Amino acid sequence: MRLKLVFLSSLIAAFVGAGSAIAIIISVFSSLKPISSPGLIVLSTFLLPALTVLLATIFVYRHTARRRKLQAALTTFVALLLTIALFVLASIYTSRRQPLAPQPGPQRSTT
């Protein structure tokens, strides 16, 4: 098996797919309000990683001579695993370290 081809194409697919989706999420969605109204940008954050994994799988399938199905399945599995890992790392990196304390409002007089 050509493990170098499998791992390199999986790595590139994960970085391109997850990286583009993470870039869209960070740059466009500063709050969760736009995510509640689905649109083309929200759909692209789901489709970009899936399309890059599919393209990497097709590339590996077409450029190997033996054990095509096994190498294509391995590429899919590794690319999806790396994509999920990148999403988790991005969510950890962009999360707040300490929660924001609520600001006190004006005090009401009880008398």
Side-chain angles (χ1 to χ4, degrees):
M1 289 191 344
R2 294 183 170 191
L3 287 177
K4 289 180 187 178
L5 177 68
V6 169
F7 288 125
L8 186 64
S9 62
S10 297
L11 189 66
I12 290 171
F15 275 119
V16 170
S20 61
I22 290 168
I24 289 172
I25 291 169
I26 290 175
S27 65
V28 175
F29 305 122
S30 60
S31 68
L32 293 178
K33 186 179 178 187
I35 294 177
S36 64
S37 59
L40 188 60
I41 295 176
V42 175
L43 185 64
S44 68
T45 60
F46 297 121
L47 287 180
L48 286 173
L51 287 176
T52 56
V53 169
L54 179 68
L55 287 174
T57 303
I58 291 171
F59 179 79
V60 168
Y61 183 82
R62 298 296 296 162
H63 287 84
T64 53
R66 294 184 230 161
R67 298 182 183 162
R68 287 183 170 192
K69 292 179 184 178
L70 177 64
Q71 291 180 15
L74 185 63
T75 302
T76 304
F77 180 71
V78 171
L80 288 175
L81 197 67
L82 288 171
T83 301
I84 292 170
L86 285 172
F87 277 127
V88 169
L89 286 174
S91 67
I92 290 171
Y93 182 71
T94 59
S95 67
R96 292 189 178 127
R97 300 287 180 226
Q98 296 179 3
L100 296 175
Q103 298 294 327
Q107 299 293 324
R108 294 186 193 177
S109 175
T110 58
T111 58

